[in-house]
Structure formats: C-alpha cells, structure tokens
Amino acid sequence: MPTVQANGIDIYYEVVGEGEPLVLIPYLAADQACYAFQVAEYAKHFTCFTVDPRGAGLSSKPEGTYTTELFADDVAAFMQAAGVGRAHVAGLSLGAATAMWLAAKHPERVASLSLHSAWDSSDAFLRVVVEGWRVMAQALDSVTDMVIQGIFPWCFTPELYAARPEYIDSLAAFVRGRPMPPVDAFLRQSQAVLSHDARDVLGAIQAPTLITFGQHDMVTSTRFAGPLTAAIPGAEMVVFENCSHAPIYEDVEGFNQRTMEFLRKHSG
C-alpha cells in the first residue's frame, strides 16, 4: 500500500498502467477507487496515479479548515514526493475544483487539465444542496448512507434509476465496500466545496483544458460553462447527453472515449 508524506499528511495512492503520468483526483467523500471504470481504459496509454485526498480513504484526516486550494497544494506535494514531475491532471466535482487550483498555482506540474462537473465559484443553489448533505450525514451518523440516499439522486438521472435499478444497487454496494470518511472529516471536506472560489486564478491556467458537464446535472450545471470557458484560455467543452452529475458512471463508454481523445491529443 504506497503512502507518501506530503504537505504534512500521509497520502495514500495507487499506480497502474504505462506511459505519461495521469493524476486522477476524487470527488467529495470518495477514495481513489472512484475512477475504477476509467483507470482500466486510461492505463492502456497512461501511468495512472489515483490518490486519496485529505479527509478521505486511507489518507490523513486532520482537523482544521479544508479548502480546494489546500487540496491542490496536497496534490502538488504528493507529486513531488512520488517523483511525478509533470502530469496530465483530471478531477470530477471536488476533484475538478482541486485540479483548477493545482493548474493555476503549480502550472509546471500540469501537462493537460480535465475538469469534469466543475464550477468556478460556489453559488447559492450549490451551497444549499451541499448543506443538505451535511445535515443528512449528521442525522444518519453515516457518510456511507448519506452518499447513497442523499448524493446519488443528484448524480444520476431518473431514467437510470428506472431502467437499471440493479446498476444503482451495484454502485451502492461499491460505496459500502470502500473506506468512507467519518462524519467530521466529511464536514471538513464539504466545507471546502462550500467555500470554493477560483475566479481570481482561472486566468493563470496555462495547460490545455477540457471542461465537461452532464446535460441534466443540476448541482454543477452548464450555468458554470460560460464563466469557466471565458476564464480559462482556449478551453474545450463537452456536454454528455442523458447524464447528470456523474457521467463517469452513467455513460462510461462515451465518457472514456471522449476524455481519452483529449488526453491522447495532448500527450507526447
């Protein structure tokens, strides 16, 4: 189980594949295994480094104030400790918020940037949704149950629930099998979501950037497309039809194909 000390904490990670390095940053409450459906494909062309962020998985969960900028500093320090000089960087939701800070503050580390279900700054709607998750986590006293009962409905379309209930059940079983954070660590992680505001630094991003959304996502909907594409020079955008907040699970083949095209275009 590889672990490095970086930015004052222990960061757990896994490595698979061959080729240029690709760092994958998880979303809220998730550990590195959340990209299982992507790594199998990406690893055919890239060396995939999947990390457990501060407060999740097998990484440290210290007290204190968590921010998306702090998460980015963690990843930069991880890359140095793990000997990853420069890498393609991808993240979804909280992972995307972290990745944009990483690319802005540490441009020498980022060869390309993939921002999935991203947002530039938390607005009133996003905050009320996340506050609901925080209330539910404390009421249930379980981040696992909160994710399945509270976050899942925002990640998947009603059509997926209706057409493939067994798939939803399998994803729930996957969550139950992972090392989920305790409630206090989730509250610290989610506070970083609530306070996220990268508007002043997005213009510093130099890496080729892909921005993707799910057509039916409400949490980080295409209302954020204009601010992001206007602020990040030359950013490309893709909208995955018939998907909500998590195209990585709702359209695995389409998501992998389109994101792999971008990664391979900017490798070599």
Side-chain angles (χ1 to χ4, degrees):
M1 293 187 179
T3 300
V4 296
Q5 186 156 70
N7 207 25
I9 64 171
D10 291 330
I11 297 180
Y12 175 84
Y13 69 102
E14 295 191 3
V15 186
V16 63
E18 295 182 358
E20 295 179 17
L22 167 61
V23 174
L24 295 158
I25 308 173
Y27 46 83
L28 180 63
D31 72 335
Q32 54 80 31
C34 69
Y35 290 110
F37 293 168
Q38 282 66 54
V39 168
E41 186 67 26
Y42 292 166
K44 296 175 183 178
H45 303 280
F46 298 91
T47 302
C48 298
F49 292 80
T50 52
V51 300
D52 284 357
R54 175 187 298 254
L58 301 179
S59 290
S60 299
K61 302 169 183 64
E63 296 184 357
T65 301
Y66 292 13
T67 66
T68 49
E69 183 178 3
L70 175 62
F71 284 133
D73 291 340
D74 287 346
V75 176
F78 157 75
M79 291 174 68
Q80 181 172 355
V84 183
R86 181 177 172 85
H88 303 277
V89 175
L92 184 141
S93 199
L94 176 56
T98 299
M100 64 180 68
W101 270 105
L102 178 69
K105 285 191 70 178
H106 308 276
E108 73 285 354
R109 294 279 182 198
V110 182
S112 75
L113 182 64
S114 298
L115 305 176
H116 309 302
S117 303
W119 76 107
D120 62 327
S121 176
S122 298
D123 63 6
F125 183 82
L126 187 151
R127 284 195 296 270
V128 77
V129 171
V130 175
E131 288 287 8
W133 297 341
R134 288 162 61 88
V135 170
M136 187 178 289
Q138 293 174 89
L140 293 170
D141 194 27
S142 168
V143 174
T144 299
D145 291 339
M146 180 279 300
V147 167
I148 295 167
Q149 298 177 44
I151 295 184
F152 267 32
W154 293 93
C155 289
F156 311 119
T157 58
E159 290 77 13
L160 184 66
Y161 272 87
R164 301 181 63 191
E166 74 290 345
Y167 182 54
I168 298 291
D169 289 343
S170 72
L171 292 173
F174 179 76
V175 170
R176 294 189 187 282
R178 301 309 306 167
M180 298 296 286
V183 172
D184 65 319
F186 170 76
L187 293 177
R188 291 192 289 274
Q189 272 207 330
S190 56
Q191 185 59 50
V193 175
L194 294 173
S195 65
H196 175 65
D197 187 348
R199 288 174 294 182
D200 289 343
V201 301
L202 291 176
I205 294 175
Q206 302 171 16
T209 301
L210 173 68
I211 300 169
T212 75
F213 295 97
Q215 182 182 26
H216 301 290
D217 187 2
M218 292 180 64
V219 183
T220 56
S221 73
T222 52
R223 71 185 183 279
F224 294 114
L228 286 170
T229 55
I232 301 174
E236 302 176 32
M237 191 180 81
V238 171
V239 176
F240 292 101
E241 298 181 4
N242 306 316
C243 290
S244 185
H245 189 62
I248 62 170
Y249 304 124
E250 196 151 16
D251 182 10
V252 175
E253 183 178 353
F255 181 89
N256 290 355
Q257 179 181 347
R258 183 62 189 86
T259 56
M260 179 66 84
E261 288 174 1
F262 172 81
L263 288 167
R264 295 192 71 182
K265 182 169 69 173
H266 295 287
S267 64

